[in-house]
Amino acid sequence: MSKQRVLTGITTTGTPHLGNYVGAIRPAIEASRDTNNESFYFLADFHALIKCQDPAAVHQSTKEIAATWLALGLDTDNAVFYRQSDVPEIPQLTWFLNCICAKGLMNRAHAYKAAVDANLEEGEDADKAVTMGLFSYPVLMAADILMFGAHKVPVGKDQIQHVEMARAMAQRFNHIYCKNEPLLTLPDYQVDDDAAVLQGLDGRKMSKSYGNTIPLFLPEKKLQKHINKIKTNLLEPGEPKDPDTSAVFQIWKAFATQEQTAEMRQAFAEGIGWGDAKKKLFALINEEVAEARERYEDLLARPADIEAELQKGAEKARSFSRPMLEKVRAAVGISGLA
Ligand code: TRP
């Protein structure tokens, strides 16, 4: 059986946090070790510009995210790890897709619709602050996916629609340009229902947009401090506590073995104090991340090494994207005359 090609992108805004780690990074690095897969992971820095127009922030985030994946042991011989902007074939494919993608399809994209709805609610012009980047975001994402013939695209639920749109664009392209022998592979999304969605400091989903995150590679003391800030109730030590409504327990579960989870459930029933529970949680997380944190700090101090990895990845990525773009160009009628 031929290998499954698995591809996903990480938008380069912000600093990776524990929610990103358990929900996306940890499962992706595990999947990259599966020899039935051919994995493509990339830093979606073109996508970052849609959300963030602070150049220093985009640059810093790119460095931090790359260092994070490398420090956590992504095997870059096994997986193709690259930066979107290092693959010039992607924006070219984006244009070809723009020319077959119905505007009406983009009108239905959730992110765009949410922006329009928010504007209308505030009595503003529907398109206030809506850039063409935001509007056509799913076309660029389709190019990311279709460029490499991905079969499976692991994403969060909010991105399902975008993968479906990529599939629709591939179908349309094949229908117009290559009826006999479809050129573009139809991708499927993959949503991991078991992947933990972590609660943040305030008990809502851990997310940069809520400002309630715990960064993954905080120095030890700061990590402890952040964990101490996780919202709890006023129950005293000795009083039984409900694990299932507790962010402390929920984060514990994402890092613990089944046995450790059962033990903590028991401790809650027996009235473990919040201070104690948080101390234990800190120790557990710290144990899992300590080694990688050292590698992370080391890498950040040597950005040339990160860059070298990305260049190696870009070379590999382009060994796929160059021939693919040639075929796409030929299919649409753009090629040499002799
Ligand atoms: N839009 C995705 C996100 O915000 C990131 C992304 C960009 C992506 N291109 C992709 C994900 C291609 C999967 C495939 O999470």
Side-chain angles (χ1 to χ4, degrees), residues 9-13 42-52 58 84 90 133 136-144 159 162:
I10 313 103
T11 305
T12 54
T13 49
F42 68 96
L43 306 163
D45 54 349
F46 283 152
H47 277 104
L49 303 185
I50 295 165
K51 294 189 206 162
C52 176
V58 169
Q84 183 184 35
I90 293 172
S136 60
Y137 177 113
V139 185
L140 175 57
M141 183 158 157
D144 291 332
Q159 299 290 320
H162 295 153

mmCIF file of all heavy atoms in Angstrom, residues 9-13 42-52 58 84 90 133 136-144 159 162:
data_model
loop_
_atom_site.group_PDB
_atom_site.id
_atom_site.type_symbol
_atom_site.label_atom_id
_atom_site.label_comp_id
_atom_site.label_asym_id
_atom_site.label_seq_id
_atom_site.Cartn_x
_atom_site.Cartn_y
_atom_site.Cartn_z
ATOM 1 N N GLY A 9 -0.446 22.760 8.597
ATOM 2 C CA GLY A 9 0.268 24.025 8.740
ATOM 3 C C GLY A 9 0.022 24.637 10.103
ATOM 4 O O GLY A 9 -1.014 24.415 10.721
ATOM 5 N N ILE A 10 1.000 25.408 10.555
ATOM 6 C CA ILE A 10 0.894 26.094 11.840
ATOM 7 C C ILE A 10 1.073 27.580 11.568
ATOM 8 O O ILE A 10 2.140 28.003 11.110
ATOM 9 C CB ILE A 10 1.995 25.652 12.828
ATOM 10 C CG1 ILE A 10 2.105 24.134 12.857
ATOM 11 C CG2 ILE A 10 1.739 26.203 14.219
ATOM 12 C CD1 ILE A 10 3.285 23.572 12.092
ATOM 13 N N THR A 11 0.052 28.359 11.834
ATOM 14 C CA THR A 11 0.143 29.802 11.594
ATOM 15 C C THR A 11 1.129 30.418 12.574
ATOM 16 O O THR A 11 1.056 30.158 13.780
ATOM 17 C CB THR A 11 -1.244 30.446 11.744
ATOM 18 O OG1 THR A 11 -2.136 29.779 10.867
ATOM 19 C CG2 THR A 11 -1.210 31.916 11.377
ATOM 20 N N THR A 12 2.048 31.217 12.059
ATOM 21 C CA THR A 12 3.125 31.730 12.914
ATOM 22 C C THR A 12 2.728 33.036 13.605
ATOM 23 O O THR A 12 3.279 34.098 13.331
ATOM 24 C CB THR A 12 4.414 31.936 12.110
ATOM 25 O OG1 THR A 12 4.100 32.769 10.984
ATOM 26 C CG2 THR A 12 4.980 30.633 11.616
ATOM 27 N N THR A 13 1.757 32.906 14.507
ATOM 28 C CA THR A 13 1.456 34.013 15.415
ATOM 29 C C THR A 13 1.494 33.437 16.822
ATOM 30 O O THR A 13 1.024 32.332 17.055
ATOM 31 C CB THR A 13 0.063 34.620 15.149
ATOM 32 O OG1 THR A 13 -0.892 33.559 15.087
ATOM 33 C CG2 THR A 13 0.025 35.380 13.841
ATOM 34 N N PHE A 42 4.398 22.473 8.130
ATOM 35 C CA PHE A 42 5.019 23.727 7.707
ATOM 36 C C PHE A 42 4.542 24.911 8.530
ATOM 37 O O PHE A 42 3.482 24.898 9.140
ATOM 38 C CB PHE A 42 4.773 23.973 6.216
ATOM 39 C CG PHE A 42 3.336 24.252 5.881
ATOM 40 C CD1 PHE A 42 2.889 25.557 5.775
ATOM 41 C CD2 PHE A 42 2.451 23.217 5.676
ATOM 42 C CE1 PHE A 42 1.565 25.826 5.467
ATOM 43 C CE2 PHE A 42 1.114 23.471 5.369
ATOM 44 C CZ PHE A 42 0.670 24.778 5.263
ATOM 45 N N LEU A 43 5.400 25.940 8.527
ATOM 46 C CA LEU A 43 5.108 27.187 9.221
ATOM 47 C C LEU A 43 4.358 28.081 8.245
ATOM 48 O O LEU A 43 4.913 28.487 7.222
ATOM 49 C CB LEU A 43 6.425 27.854 9.641
ATOM 50 C CG LEU A 43 7.332 26.940 10.467
ATOM 51 C CD1 LEU A 43 8.755 27.479 10.502
ATOM 52 C CD2 LEU A 43 6.773 26.810 11.874
ATOM 53 N N ALA A 44 3.101 28.351 8.553
ATOM 54 C CA ALA A 44 2.258 29.112 7.627
ATOM 55 C C ALA A 44 2.457 30.606 7.877
ATOM 56 O O ALA A 44 1.619 31.283 8.471
ATOM 57 C CB ALA A 44 0.805 28.691 7.788
ATOM 58 N N ASP A 45 3.601 31.108 7.404
ATOM 59 C CA ASP A 45 3.892 32.520 7.688
ATOM 60 C C ASP A 45 3.135 33.470 6.757
ATOM 61 O O ASP A 45 2.851 34.606 7.145
ATOM 62 C CB ASP A 45 5.406 32.799 7.738
ATOM 63 C CG ASP A 45 6.169 32.343 6.512
ATOM 64 O OD1 ASP A 45 5.614 31.616 5.667
ATOM 65 O OD2 ASP A 45 7.356 32.725 6.400
ATOM 66 N N PHE A 46 2.773 33.024 5.570
ATOM 67 C CA PHE A 46 1.893 33.875 4.737
ATOM 68 C C PHE A 46 0.526 34.034 5.412
ATOM 69 O O PHE A 46 -0.067 35.108 5.377
ATOM 70 C CB PHE A 46 1.694 33.264 3.340
ATOM 71 C CG PHE A 46 2.860 33.437 2.405
ATOM 72 C CD1 PHE A 46 3.083 32.508 1.387
ATOM 73 C CD2 PHE A 46 3.718 34.522 2.499
ATOM 74 C CE1 PHE A 46 4.134 32.652 0.498
ATOM 75 C CE2 PHE A 46 4.784 34.676 1.617
ATOM 76 C CZ PHE A 46 4.986 33.734 0.612
ATOM 77 N N HIS A 47 0.052 32.948 6.007
ATOM 78 C CA HIS A 47 -1.226 33.047 6.716
ATOM 79 C C HIS A 47 -1.132 33.986 7.921
ATOM 80 O O HIS A 47 -2.100 34.644 8.274
ATOM 81 C CB HIS A 47 -1.708 31.664 7.162
ATOM 82 C CG HIS A 47 -2.430 30.919 6.088
ATOM 83 N ND1 HIS A 47 -1.865 29.888 5.373
ATOM 84 C CD2 HIS A 47 -3.677 31.065 5.582
ATOM 85 C CE1 HIS A 47 -2.733 29.443 4.474
ATOM 86 N NE2 HIS A 47 -3.830 30.137 4.581
ATOM 87 N N ALA A 48 0.048 34.024 8.540
ATOM 88 C CA ALA A 48 0.205 34.865 9.728
ATOM 89 C C ALA A 48 -0.093 36.334 9.411
ATOM 90 O O ALA A 48 -0.652 37.064 10.228
ATOM 91 C CB ALA A 48 1.618 34.726 10.286
ATOM 92 N N LEU A 49 0.269 36.766 8.205
ATOM 93 C CA LEU A 49 0.112 38.176 7.848
ATOM 94 C C LEU A 49 -1.352 38.611 7.808
ATOM 95 O O LEU A 49 -1.659 39.793 7.882
ATOM 96 C CB LEU A 49 0.763 38.471 6.490
ATOM 97 C CG LEU A 49 2.247 38.121 6.371
ATOM 98 C CD1 LEU A 49 2.783 38.585 5.028
ATOM 99 C CD2 LEU A 49 3.056 38.746 7.506
ATOM 100 N N ILE A 50 -2.238 37.635 7.682
ATOM 101 C CA ILE A 50 -3.668 37.952 7.654
ATOM 102 C C ILE A 50 -4.126 38.425 9.029
ATOM 103 O O ILE A 50 -4.970 39.293 9.160
ATOM 104 C CB ILE A 50 -4.470 36.705 7.203
ATOM 105 C CG1 ILE A 50 -4.101 36.348 5.759
ATOM 106 C CG2 ILE A 50 -5.972 36.936 7.350
ATOM 107 C CD1 ILE A 50 -4.542 34.958 5.340
ATOM 108 N N LYS A 51 -3.499 37.836 10.060
ATOM 109 C CA LYS A 51 -3.930 38.141 11.430
ATOM 110 C C LYS A 51 -3.042 39.160 12.112
ATOM 111 O O LYS A 51 -3.438 39.769 13.092
ATOM 112 C CB LYS A 51 -3.855 36.874 12.301
ATOM 113 C CG LYS A 51 -4.812 35.795 11.930
ATOM 114 C CD LYS A 51 -4.762 34.718 13.027
ATOM 115 C CE LYS A 51 -5.162 33.376 12.468
ATOM 116 N NZ LYS A 51 -4.743 32.258 13.302
ATOM 117 N N CYS A 52 -1.808 39.263 11.652
ATOM 118 C CA CYS A 52 -0.832 40.018 12.435
ATOM 119 C C CYS A 52 0.033 40.873 11.515
ATOM 120 O O CYS A 52 0.700 40.345 10.628
ATOM 121 C CB CYS A 52 0.041 39.042 13.225
ATOM 122 S SG CYS A 52 1.366 39.848 14.140
ATOM 123 N N VAL A 58 5.725 38.490 13.970
ATOM 124 C CA VAL A 58 5.648 37.358 13.040
ATOM 125 C C VAL A 58 7.002 36.646 12.984
ATOM 126 O O VAL A 58 7.091 35.421 13.018
ATOM 127 C CB VAL A 58 5.230 37.835 11.626
ATOM 128 C CG1 VAL A 58 5.399 36.723 10.593
ATOM 129 C CG2 VAL A 58 3.779 38.318 11.641
ATOM 130 N N GLN A 84 6.333 27.970 4.698
ATOM 131 C CA GLN A 84 5.482 28.221 3.526
ATOM 132 C C GLN A 84 6.119 29.225 2.561
ATOM 133 O O GLN A 84 6.141 29.009 1.353
ATOM 134 C CB GLN A 84 4.149 28.760 4.049
ATOM 135 C CG GLN A 84 3.062 29.031 3.046
ATOM 136 C CD GLN A 84 1.859 29.667 3.763
ATOM 137 O OE1 GLN A 84 2.035 30.440 4.720
ATOM 138 N NE2 GLN A 84 0.668 29.326 3.339
ATOM 139 N N ILE A 90 3.884 27.822 -4.066
ATOM 140 C CA ILE A 90 2.581 27.896 -3.381
ATOM 141 C C ILE A 90 1.781 29.138 -3.803
ATOM 142 O O ILE A 90 0.623 29.008 -4.195
ATOM 143 C CB ILE A 90 2.748 27.783 -1.846
ATOM 144 C CG1 ILE A 90 3.232 26.378 -1.477
ATOM 145 C CG2 ILE A 90 1.420 28.084 -1.132
ATOM 146 C CD1 ILE A 90 3.616 26.193 -0.020
ATOM 147 N N GLY A 133 -6.795 39.281 1.947
ATOM 148 C CA GLY A 133 -6.120 38.142 2.576
ATOM 149 C C GLY A 133 -7.100 37.323 3.401
ATOM 150 O O GLY A 133 -7.165 36.096 3.278
ATOM 151 N N SER A 136 -9.784 35.628 1.058
ATOM 152 C CA SER A 136 -9.362 34.502 0.209
ATOM 153 C C SER A 136 -8.413 33.532 0.928
ATOM 154 O O SER A 136 -7.791 32.676 0.312
ATOM 155 C CB SER A 136 -8.706 35.024 -1.068
ATOM 156 O OG SER A 136 -7.589 35.804 -0.739
ATOM 157 N N TYR A 137 -8.362 33.665 2.225
ATOM 158 C CA TYR A 137 -7.553 32.773 3.070
ATOM 159 C C TYR A 137 -7.701 31.292 2.694
ATOM 160 O O TYR A 137 -6.706 30.565 2.565
ATOM 161 C CB TYR A 137 -8.038 33.029 4.496
ATOM 162 C CG TYR A 137 -7.494 32.260 5.646
ATOM 163 C CD1 TYR A 137 -6.732 32.898 6.619
ATOM 164 C CD2 TYR A 137 -7.777 30.911 5.837
ATOM 165 C CE1 TYR A 137 -6.270 32.218 7.722
ATOM 166 C CE2 TYR A 137 -7.309 30.223 6.941
ATOM 167 C CZ TYR A 137 -6.560 30.883 7.881
ATOM 168 O OH TYR A 137 -6.096 30.205 8.966
ATOM 169 N N PRO A 138 -8.940 30.812 2.459
ATOM 170 C CA PRO A 138 -9.069 29.381 2.135
ATOM 171 C C PRO A 138 -8.431 28.987 0.807
ATOM 172 O O PRO A 138 -8.121 27.813 0.601
ATOM 173 C CB PRO A 138 -10.583 29.151 2.093
ATOM 174 C CG PRO A 138 -11.177 30.275 2.899
ATOM 175 C CD PRO A 138 -10.270 31.444 2.656
ATOM 176 N N VAL A 139 -8.213 29.942 -0.095
ATOM 177 C CA VAL A 139 -7.581 29.599 -1.373
ATOM 178 C C VAL A 139 -6.089 29.330 -1.145
ATOM 179 O O VAL A 139 -5.530 28.357 -1.663
ATOM 180 C CB VAL A 139 -7.773 30.714 -2.428
ATOM 181 C CG1 VAL A 139 -7.217 30.260 -3.781
ATOM 182 C CG2 VAL A 139 -9.240 31.095 -2.546
ATOM 183 N N LEU A 140 -5.457 30.185 -0.351
ATOM 184 C CA LEU A 140 -4.049 29.955 -0.016
ATOM 185 C C LEU A 140 -3.899 28.624 0.730
ATOM 186 O O LEU A 140 -2.985 27.838 0.455
ATOM 187 C CB LEU A 140 -3.527 31.121 0.849
ATOM 188 C CG LEU A 140 -2.102 31.008 1.389
ATOM 189 C CD1 LEU A 140 -1.077 30.828 0.269
ATOM 190 C CD2 LEU A 140 -1.752 32.238 2.245
ATOM 191 N N MET A 141 -4.815 28.366 1.621
ATOM 192 C CA MET A 141 -4.748 27.097 2.379
ATOM 193 C C MET A 141 -4.955 25.901 1.443
ATOM 194 O O MET A 141 -4.304 24.862 1.606
ATOM 195 C CB MET A 141 -5.784 27.121 3.507
ATOM 196 C CG MET A 141 -5.739 25.898 4.380
ATOM 197 S SD MET A 141 -6.464 26.230 5.996
ATOM 198 C CE MET A 141 -6.892 24.572 6.497
ATOM 199 N N ALA A 142 -5.817 26.053 0.457
ATOM 200 C CA ALA A 142 -6.025 24.974 -0.519
ATOM 201 C C ALA A 142 -4.735 24.726 -1.299
ATOM 202 O O ALA A 142 -4.349 23.581 -1.545
ATOM 203 C CB ALA A 142 -7.171 25.323 -1.461
ATOM 204 N N ALA A 143 -4.042 25.811 -1.664
ATOM 205 C CA ALA A 143 -2.778 25.652 -2.392
ATOM 206 C C ALA A 143 -1.755 24.911 -1.537
ATOM 207 O O ALA A 143 -1.048 24.019 -2.018
ATOM 208 C CB ALA A 143 -2.237 27.015 -2.816
ATOM 209 N N ASP A 144 -1.698 25.239 -0.236
ATOM 210 C CA ASP A 144 -0.789 24.526 0.684
ATOM 211 C C ASP A 144 -1.014 23.025 0.607
ATOM 212 O O ASP A 144 -0.071 22.229 0.618
ATOM 213 C CB ASP A 144 -1.085 24.916 2.148
ATOM 214 C CG ASP A 144 -0.730 26.339 2.491
ATOM 215 O OD1 ASP A 144 0.187 26.887 1.859
ATOM 216 O OD2 ASP A 144 -1.381 26.897 3.408
ATOM 217 N N GLN A 159 -11.179 24.389 11.398
ATOM 218 C CA GLN A 159 -10.547 24.396 10.078
ATOM 219 C C GLN A 159 -11.159 23.379 9.110
ATOM 220 O O GLN A 159 -10.740 23.278 7.959
ATOM 221 C CB GLN A 159 -9.042 24.115 10.204
ATOM 222 C CG GLN A 159 -8.277 25.137 11.033
ATOM 223 C CD GLN A 159 -8.185 26.472 10.321
ATOM 224 O OE1 GLN A 159 -7.993 26.538 9.120
ATOM 225 N NE2 GLN A 159 -8.359 27.549 11.070
ATOM 226 N N HIS A 162 -12.358 24.715 5.811
ATOM 227 C CA HIS A 162 -11.303 25.083 4.862
ATOM 228 C C HIS A 162 -10.800 23.870 4.079
ATOM 229 O O HIS A 162 -10.479 23.973 2.901
ATOM 230 C CB HIS A 162 -10.136 25.747 5.594
ATOM 231 C CG HIS A 162 -10.506 27.058 6.224
ATOM 232 N ND1 HIS A 162 -9.868 27.562 7.323
ATOM 233 C CD2 HIS A 162 -11.461 27.944 5.900
ATOM 234 C CE1 HIS A 162 -10.408 28.721 7.656
ATOM 235 N NE2 HIS A 162 -11.381 28.972 6.804
#
